[in-house]
Amino acid sequence: YNALHGTNLEVETTNIQPVMLERVLYMKYYNDIAMLIDGKIVILIEHQSTINKNMPFRFLEYIERIYEKITTKDEKFGRKLVKLPIPEFYVFYNGKDDYPTESVMKLSDAFMQLDGKLKNQLENANYPLEISVKVININVDKENPILKRCEALKEYSEFIEQVRFNIENDVPEPLTNAIKEAIKKGFLSDYLNRKSTEVQNMLLAEYDYDTDIAVQRRESFEDGFSAGEERGISIGLSQGITQGAHQKAVET
């Protein structure tokens, strides 16, 4: 929070409440980080190694569920105005594809394009519903100022850079060696000394998840192609039988 806002809030004097949504499928939590600061600001952060342009849509779902989680039915249906914490949405990106140091995604980018009179009516108008997501590139080579303001995030980025270097250069046991190298250089050394096994499992799980999705897509395509091929054969046979019967009737 301090790195994002340039503040110096202290943990001891700030009320920080985790409001992550509970687990679904592969991840422990439905969203990566959601925290309520002094009951007034709710910050949602997602970490991604591939850019997903649907993040504003996903954040819309997250914030709706979080608001539902921190309010009661009595408040929602009562006549008194319910005070809601201000939401902020961030994506920390550290993938291989080149991406700006900072950029913004908007929910309105996904809205359907209009033509004619409808377009004229909405031209230059503010959309009734909007979500803005700030995308922050935390790759070391981008030298984003946030890395200077948050040492842990900087060390994490340097650690991931070491993992990639080991994999790309065929270093034996790339994850284990990356952890050893990070500890040697002082990157997240205290955490990695205590949690090296968990970190390896996390990195392997992320790889397995991506691989699993890729395999599922390929298998879906192959199944679809096979089904289409079978349908084509079936249609061809059906047409052949029909044409044969028609020819036989003509000859008769």
Side-chain angles (χ1 to χ4, degrees):
Y1 180 90
N2 285 331
L4 289 169
H5 295 85
T7 54
N8 293 295
L9 297 181
E10 297 289 340
V11 174
E12 294 78 14
T13 56
T14 306
N15 183 9
I16 303 172
Q17 178 185 349
V19 286
M20 276 88 75
L21 301 169
E22 293 304 321
R23 70 174 72 207
V24 171
L25 298 177
Y26 291 92
M27 294 173 285
K28 184 176 181 182
Y29 292 103
Y30 194 66
N31 56 322
D32 289 344
I33 296 176
M35 55 184 174
L36 188 59
I37 308 295
D38 282 339
K40 295 180 179 179
I41 298 176
V42 60
I43 296 181
L44 283 78
I45 301 173
E46 292 294 299
H47 169 231
Q48 295 184 329
S49 57
T50 55
I51 288 294
N52 184 330
K53 293 184 178 180
N54 292 310
M55 284 314 301
F57 185 27
R58 285 172 55 181
F59 275 125
L60 174 64
E61 181 184 16
Y62 296 161
I63 193 62
E64 187 276 331
R65 293 189 183 187
I66 288 171
Y67 280 154
E68 194 173 64
K69 183 178 180 179
I70 63 177
T71 57
T72 65
K73 286 185 178 180
D74 289 343
E75 289 176 321
K76 197 185 309 181
F77 293 102
R79 296 176 62 185
K80 187 178 178 181
L81 180 65
V82 180
K83 295 292 186 178
L84 300 173
I86 300 169
E88 294 182 2
F89 308 102
Y90 300 94
V91 167
F92 288 166
Y93 169 73
N94 74 330
K96 297 178 185 177
D97 295 335
D98 189 35
Y99 209 72
T101 304
E102 290 189 1
S103 58
V104 175
M105 292 181 184
K106 292 190 174 183
L107 182 65
S108 59
D109 294 338
F111 292 164
M112 295 180 181
Q113 296 297 309
L114 302 176
D115 298 318
K117 293 181 179 179
L118 289 175
K119 182 178 180 181
N120 293 334
Q121 288 173 7
L122 284 176
E123 199 164 350
N124 299 321
N126 292 324
Y127 289 103
L129 180 65
E130 184 66 283
I131 280 183
S132 296
V133 178
K134 189 170 185 178
V135 183
I136 300 174
N137 194 328
I138 60 170
N139 278 300
V140 175
D141 63 326
K142 290 297 180 179
E143 299 182 342
N144 195 301
I146 196 173
L147 297 183
K148 295 179 181 179
R149 298 195 293 265
C150 183
E151 189 65 27
L153 196 58
K154 178 185 176 184
E155 291 181 359
Y156 166 76
S157 296
E158 290 171 337
F159 169 65
I160 293 299
E161 191 72 17
Q162 185 66 52
V163 171
R164 285 191 187 136
F165 176 85
N166 289 356
I167 292 172
E168 290 169 2
N169 291 275
D170 296 323
V171 174
E173 299 183 358
L175 302 184
T176 302
N177 280 303
I179 290 172
K180 289 179 179 178
E181 189 67 21
I183 292 172
K184 182 179 177 182
K185 291 180 179 178
F187 299 160
L188 303 176
S189 55
D190 180 56
Y191 181 81
L192 291 173
N193 270 316
R194 290 184 291 109
K195 298 282 188 177
S196 59
T197 302
E198 287 90 332
V199 170
Q200 288 191 62
N201 290 339
M202 177 195 72
L203 292 170
L204 286 169
E206 182 178 341
Y207 171 77
D208 289 341
Y209 172 73
D210 290 338
T211 302
D212 181 43
I213 293 298
V215 169
Q216 285 185 43
R217 285 176 179 163
R218 187 179 70 244
E219 288 176 347
S220 295
F221 172 80
E222 290 171 352
D223 290 345
F225 182 83
S226 178
E229 202 173 34
E230 289 175 6
R231 184 169 181 270
I233 293 170
S234 176
I235 291 171
L237 286 172
S238 177
Q239 288 175 342
I241 291 168
T242 302
Q243 289 170 0
H246 175 71
Q247 182 65 30
K248 185 175 182 181
V250 168
E251 290 172 354
T252 302

